Amino acid sequence: MGEGVFPKSWENYLQQRDSFDKTHFDKLAFEKQRTMLFALDAGTKVTITRVVHHGWGADGRYWVFRGNLINNGKSIEVELPSFSKVHLMPYWLNGRSKNIPELNSKFIGSCKT
């Protein structure tokens, strides 16, 4: 919260959720309106499960990392922000990279086991 164009708090987001979502999350064909589900606490673990290299028409290809996180005992698949056609800045990785991109350590890093 508070990064880039995102609201400063979860409560602030909830007050303007519908208008924020329609303004900031493009609705792609055959897709429900994108929205934020909940705020993450620092230290939340995301297990990367897929690294996908998508084709995007004449724009070329872009990378997306998908992973699972646990919220209230339920596993939820998430997509890490990576590319302007789908996500708002700041990006957690460079989806336009020619090679498999590195994660932005400001937002996400390796878990210590």
Side-chain angles (χ1 to χ4, degrees):
M1 302 305 300
E3 290 283 343
V5 299
F6 289 95
K8 299 286 184 216
S9 70
W10 183 248
E11 292 74 23
N12 184 267
Y13 168 69
L14 291 176
Q15 291 172 359
Q16 58 178 327
R17 185 179 218 157
D18 289 339
S19 62
F20 183 90
D21 289 351
K22 287 176 184 167
T23 303
H24 293 88
F25 299 133
D26 291 340
K27 184 177 175 189
L28 303 177
F30 311 110
E31 190 176 78
K32 294 188 304 185
Q33 175 64 55
R34 290 175 182 239
T35 190
M36 290 191 275
L37 301 176
F38 47 85
L40 291 177
D41 294 327
T44 299
K45 291 182 181 177
V46 177
T47 303
I48 302 297
T49 56
R50 291 192 276 171
V51 178
V52 183
H53 199 211
H54 281 291
W56 195 268
D59 286 350
R61 302 185 69 77
Y62 70 97
W63 292 96
V64 170
F65 283 25
R66 293 194 180 131
N68 292 329
L69 61 86
I70 305 297
N71 183 54
N72 295 327
K74 185 176 177 183
S75 179
I76 299 172
E77 184 180 59
V78 296
E79 189 171 285
L80 303 182
S82 62
F83 182 61
S84 63
K85 294 288 184 188
V86 181
H87 303 117
L88 294 174
M89 289 182 73
Y91 302 130
W92 290 19
L93 61 121
N94 176 8
R96 295 295 266 167
S97 175
K98 300 288 184 208
N99 301 308
I100 297 175
E102 296 289 321
L103 294 170
N104 183 339
S105 62
K106 180 178 176 187
F107 300 105
I108 193 166
S110 296
C111 294
K112 295 183 178 168
T113 56

